[in-house]
Amino acid sequence: QVQLVESGGGLVQAGGSLRLSCAASGRTNSVAEMAWFRQAPEKEREFVASITWIGGNTNYADSVKGRFSIFKDNVRRTVSLQMNSLKPEDTAVYSCAARDLSASMFNSWGQGTQVTVSS
């Protein structure tokens, strides 16, 4: 089991920046990939970005390409999401997720952190 704790959310004006961080603990040696998802009020959870633990291959949702960057620190066991040029539609609860080597889906989740972008 991997435990994930997010930090860095908050309130920012449109056009501003925020950095979210996710600290992983527990059986981190079994992690293949980590990602950020978000869920806005009355909407389904959606994929934002992911990164493989070995190789650092990244993937982004079209809605955040060119504005968000995901990166990792293997020593500190953290994954961060740098969010630039934020828009009001980026407002959501952002959650960190991890996928085990043996899993086909993300199977560990953090509690989430609120990001609010004001217009």
Side-chain angles (χ1 to χ4, degrees), residues 75-93:
V75 174
R76 297 184 178 182
R77 297 291 180 180
T78 60
V79 172
S80 298
L81 185 69
Q82 177 66 40
M83 305 185 294
N84 299 327
S85 302
L86 283 161
K87 305 174 181 179
E89 51 263 45
D90 294 318
T91 295
V93 174

Side-chain angles (χ1 to χ4, degrees), residues 43-75:
K43 292 188 177 181
E44 293 187 356
R45 184 169 61 195
E46 65 174 355
F47 168 81
V48 176
S50 65
I51 186 167
T52 57
W53 205 245
I54 297 175
N57 296 317
T58 59
N59 189 28
Y60 295 92
D62 288 343
S63 59
V64 306
K65 281 181 181 177
R67 300 189 299 123
F68 291 11
S69 296
I70 187 170
F71 54 96
K72 62 183 175 69
D73 185 325
N74 284 20
V75 174

